[in-house]
Amino acid sequence: MDKAEFVFIPFPGAGHLVSAVELAKLLVNRNHRLSITFLIIELPSESKTTTYLESLAPNLPDRITLINVPDEVGELDPKNILKSMIENKKPHVRQVVNDLKTRSRIAGFVLDIFCTSMIEVADEFGVPSYIFFPSSASFLGVMFHIQALHDEENMLTTKLEDDSNAEFNVPTLANPIPASCMPTASLNKAWVNNLYEQARDARRTKGIIVNSFVELESHAVNSLSYVKTPPIYLVGPLLSIQGQNYDLGPGGVQKKAEIVTWLDDQPESSVVFLCFGSLGSFGEDQVKEIARGLEQSGHRFLWSLRRPPPKDRTSGIGKVIGWAPQVAVLGHRSIGGFVYHSGWNSTLESLWSGVPVATWPSIAEQHVLAFDLVRDLGLAVDIKMDYRKDSSTKNPTVVSAGEIERGIRGVMEQDSGIRKRVKEISEKARKALMDGGSSFSTIGRLIDDLLDNIS
């Protein structure tokens, strides 16, 4: 039978790349006819990409190949650096795909939602494009809704920035969402056009692959069925359960062992874990408030902090570390709660491990994800849902120790309904990927559609 070669172009941020690789592994392991070539674009500011790929290479299936795309040609648009960087890669991508054609049958492109401008290249080669969407189905619906309001009703969500009390009805969210929880791009005049373009581009592909599962987002999935889109495939949770030593840098294995040893000495479900993602740094005043909140809560803690800890009185009950092996920590029996930035990969990792979360979003779509988890799904508690990280703000908002303490106490409550619901979702997440599960079956349908491209 004919083999099918797919070109994956992921966005190089770790949160996008890791789940894209997990998707590729699932696909090639399910069907021997599929082969996948990753075209890797590196961001100047994202050093983890190279480290992650180097850690991956020895253990990838034979039918997954990694090719680095050379540095960009031409100048970058200072007003839209990411988009122009992707645009500048097109000549190199064309050359690589031309070379691939001499030895493989190219059946399609799978493009990250941030790389939709590459649809043009796929069209040139006469093959279909699919979008890989590494966030939630509910947020996918938010993007489509914002774009449709602009294109069909001439409504601008950027006007909501000045009215924090306004509420916004989105079909994929069960409750009206406040303007203060809308995605950053939708409120920013310089960025919102990118959101419109990505949503328009996604609508004209052959399918959208989402890193989620039906049991978690049934309302969003049902709502999307009434939206004019290509087929949507929920195939998650896509997690790198065995990975993440690459995050620790030099001496990472030893650091991980020290952290796990400390956790081994703590009682079950007694430790609150604080980690805020690759962009989750705080100023000195905020760090002090977090320390006070931890002290006032009285709970044991493991705090991933990328600056020296303040002098406080918490050293007897907690441990401050640098970058954390997050998957390993969340899977440890001593972890009872997770305070985090509401990133989607971290959300799926915590749900998989059955760990309740306290949301503290700051950028991008994190506010939508936090709102959905707290208000719609009842799977999280809220620390400060409308907090926004803005480097241009001279006097940024500082979340008080009292607010932080309240969130920590809420997420660590042992008899809460949230803890019970998270445990139930954890079981459903695992069943979704098992033979006969919702995501397992969806992956089968996706593979059938991929192979139809060469029939």
Side-chain angles (χ1 to χ4, degrees), residues 109-219:
F109 282 31
V110 177
L111 307 169
D112 187 274
I113 188 64
F114 283 176
C115 300
T116 57
S117 62
M118 288 291 177
I119 293 173
E120 176 187 329
V121 181
D123 290 345
E124 292 170 8
F125 285 96
V127 297
S129 295
Y130 298 80
I131 293 299
F132 176 59
F133 195 77
S135 191
S136 71
S138 61
F139 179 61
L140 177 64
V142 170
M143 286 186 62
F144 282 139
H145 192 60
I146 290 170
Q147 172 257 323
L149 287 175
H150 173 266
D151 291 358
E152 299 169 14
E153 301 180 26
N154 199 31
M155 177 181 172
L156 301 177
T157 53
T158 51
K159 293 182 179 179
L160 296 173
E161 186 176 22
D162 300 324
D163 186 3
S164 60
N165 294 320
E167 290 190 330
F168 197 64
N169 290 302
V170 180
T172 51
L173 297 172
N175 295 288
I177 184 170
S180 59
C181 292
M182 290 292 285
T184 303
S186 71
L187 302 175
N188 187 302
K189 293 178 182 178
W191 299 345
V192 72
N193 284 330
N194 283 345
L195 187 152
Y196 298 149
E197 290 178 13
Q198 290 164 4
R200 292 184 197 117
D201 288 342
R203 288 182 189 270
R204 64 187 183 92
T205 61
K206 198 178 180 196
I208 302 173
I209 307 164
V210 181
N211 184 14
S212 189
F213 55 105
V214 173
E215 291 80 0
L216 175 61
E217 297 199 85
S218 58
H219 174 82

Side-chain angles (χ1 to χ4, degrees), residues 258-259 262-263 301-304 314-315 317-321:
E258 292 173 357
I259 293 166
W262 184 84
L263 289 171
F301 67 86
L302 180 68
W303 183 8
S304 176
T314 60
S315 58
I317 62 169
K319 185 176 181 65
V320 179
I321 58 175

Side-chain angles (χ1 to χ4, degrees), residues 239 309 332 410:
L239 303 171
H332 197 281

